[in-house]
Amino acid sequence: MSLPCDPLLPEPLALAVPGVRTLAPYEPGKPLEELAREYGVTDAVKLASNENPLGPSPLGLAAAREAAAGVHRYPDDSGHRLKDKLAARLGVSPDMIILGAGSSDVIAMVARAFLGPGRNAVFSRHGFAMYSIYTMAAGAEGRAAAALPPDHPRMPYGHDLEAMARLVDGDTRVVFVANPNNPTGTWLVRGELEAFLAGLPDHVVVVLDEAYTEYVEVPDFPDGVEWLARFPNLVVTRTFSKIYGLAGLRVGYGVARPGLVEVLGRVRPPFNVGVPALAAAEAALEDGAFLERSRRLNREGLARLAAAFDAMGLSHIPSTGNFITFALDRDGLEVYEALLRRGVIVRPVANYDLPRHLRVTVGTAEDNERFLRALREVLA
Ligand SMILES: *Cc1c(COP(=O)(O)O)cnc(C)c1O
């Protein structure tokens, strides 16, 4: 998109710091309203942002509604009630938790606190886009390690931890690991990840991004929080945006040793989590029944989509998230647009170096069938 520009003024972009000048902005999934505006499609289904197809946690929603009456007040900046609840649940002390407007806010704090010119951050080639964006915005160098090859027998397109370790040097301050990763859905098991963490030098902070951990049902899957006693520079991030169904409220958190949390607190924007978001997160934590329903729907949907891709002769990347990324024999954007015209929004992943793949979020059974019908039509 080109912006109108007064020739007498320097272009805003020219004034920006070098990292901001060169970064590729985050590309969110297309909102339903936009599809209605652009294509006149009003009954569309959005399977593009890994949102919970069951809606918000009912307990969380009720709490947010009630809390809305108090939004003339600033939120409790310490977020102590939510931190206490999280701490009790995770078996850590409240001073080991930092709250964010989504977990991407916590990821941004890590970048602001530990990255800058002359420093670098390491992540995997198909890793979550925000790692690279925040690294560059901080003026640091982003180093994308080659991923496991497409014909890898166990985890095609997954994080190659050996390749990542090779990129770490004396100027590396942050390593980003997503488990499972978005957009691939690939995961790391306990032994391999623990060995990787143990092998990193002391000057490296590790962000272990567990945005989808509540969905995971594969054996040997690690819980990063259990490693905090052993690895002092570890930050585990989690979110209420995914399984809890609260993406629109913006609340997530990081768990780390108290000293590290204190450093992140120095760059945390004040009042970064709003009143309804805090209340909703506290209540949603108690919503075990909703989590169980969400997990079951996801398990069934993942199996259904995987089986349908197999039947259509389309390969897919193994996933333990609430989404699945599948391969096409043609350009992904073309198929994405054809699906849009049929009222189905999925996510192109060309910006993740996957131009011939698309990512689809697991929906309700009905959503999934609608997507599959549209995909069969488009590919016919
Ligand atoms: C969705 C997502 C997040 C966090 O999103 P927030 O809404 O900011 O909590 C973080 N990491 C990954 C890999 C994600 O897919």
Side-chain angles (χ1 to χ4, degrees):
M1 194 176 72
S2 70
L3 294 162
C5 188
D6 184 336
L8 295 177
L9 290 175
E11 276 188 75
L13 200 54
L15 300 176
V17 293
V20 171
R21 279 208 296 271
T22 47
L23 68 75
Y26 186 71
E27 294 177 31
K30 189 185 265 305
L32 288 162
E33 297 82 44
E34 203 173 295
L35 192 66
R37 251 190 344 265
E38 290 175 1
Y39 293 74
V41 179
T42 50
D43 65 337
V45 46
K46 184 183 177 202
L47 301 172
S49 300
N50 301 342
E51 295 149 340
N52 190 327
L54 292 176
S57 141
L59 294 185
L61 178 61
R65 281 208 169 104
E66 202 178 311
V71 295
H72 57 302
R73 305 267 183 224
Y74 280 102
D76 169 15
D77 187 54
S78 74
H80 89 266
R81 273 210 318 269
L82 177 55
K83 283 188 196 166
D84 281 355
K85 276 199 176 164
L86 283 168
R89 191 155 295 241
L90 300 170
V92 301
S93 56
D95 61 356
M96 292 176 71
I97 295 170
I98 182 136
L99 300 180
S103 56
S104 38
D105 197 22
V106 179
I107 294 168
M109 292 176 215
V110 173
R112 276 202 296 276
F114 294 101
L115 294 174
R119 300 178 173 207
N120 69 73
V122 172
F123 38 80
S124 182
R125 180 173 174 214
H126 311 295
F128 186 49
M130 297 313 299
Y131 309 151
S132 158
I133 290 172
Y134 289 136
T135 297
M136 292 181 76
E141 175 202 352
R143 295 185 173 178
L148 294 173
D151 61 354
H152 191 273
R154 191 172 56 85
M155 206 54 71
Y157 302 94
H159 283 26
D160 181 340
L161 294 176
E162 285 166 24
M164 290 175 71
R166 280 196 296 273
L167 292 184
V168 172
D169 64 17
D171 296 322
T172 304
R173 283 299 173 279
V174 181
V175 170
F176 292 101
V177 176
N179 201 32
N181 181 50
N182 169 23
T184 57
T186 50
W187 66 95
L188 297 157
V189 294
R190 185 174 286 115
E192 59 184 342
L193 187 48
E194 190 168 14
F196 172 73
L197 295 174
L200 289 173
D202 293 342
H203 62 266
V204 172
V205 170
V206 178
V207 173
L208 179 54
D209 180 344
E210 297 187 338
Y212 300 93
T213 193
E214 300 89 352
Y215 277 114
V216 173
E217 298 189 307
V218 295
D220 270 335
F221 190 80
D223 172 350
V225 173
E226 290 175 3
W227 282 331
L228 291 170
R230 178 159 173 218
F231 301 115
N233 294 341
L234 180 63
V235 185
V236 178
T237 60
R238 294 188 183 166
T239 182
F240 288 92
S241 297
K242 304 287 157 62
I243 202 167
Y244 291 97
L246 301 176
L249 280 175
R250 312 305 302 127
V251 51
Y253 58 97
V255 196
R257 295 268 194 100
L260 212 164
V261 164
E262 196 277 330
V263 172
L264 297 179
R266 294 177 179 217
V267 295
R268 180 180 64 84
F271 310 113
N272 59 332
V273 185
V275 169
L278 286 169
E282 280 169 44
L285 271 182
E286 311 289 336
D287 209 343
F290 179 72
L291 258 61
E292 205 34 67
R293 272 203 296 144
S294 302
R295 254 191 297 269
R296 188 180 342 122
L297 186 74
N298 193 61
R299 183 187 314 135
E300 293 165 359
L302 262 187
R304 167 66 183 137
L305 291 172
F309 290 141
D310 289 344
M312 295 167 80
L314 302 175
S315 69
H316 64 270
I317 303 177
S319 172
T320 189
N322 65 341
F323 56 89
I324 185 164
T325 293
F326 58 100
L328 296 157
D329 61 358
R330 62 192 87 172
D331 184 56
L333 265 187
E334 241 173 72
V335 176
Y336 163 73
E337 274 159 21
L339 289 171
L340 280 186
R341 285 192 290 275
R342 287 165 176 78
V344 177
I345 314 178
V346 297
R347 187 66 155 266
V349 282
N351 57 324
Y352 284 98
D353 278 346
L354 296 167
R356 291 183 151 221
H357 284 77
L358 288 173
R359 189 194 73 191
V360 62
T361 301
V362 176
T364 62
E366 198 182 318
D367 297 339
N368 299 336
E369 296 312 316
R370 173 142 176 221
F371 156 71
L372 288 169
R373 264 196 315 276
L375 183 64
R376 278 192 212 98
E377 276 175 35
V378 169
L379 298 183

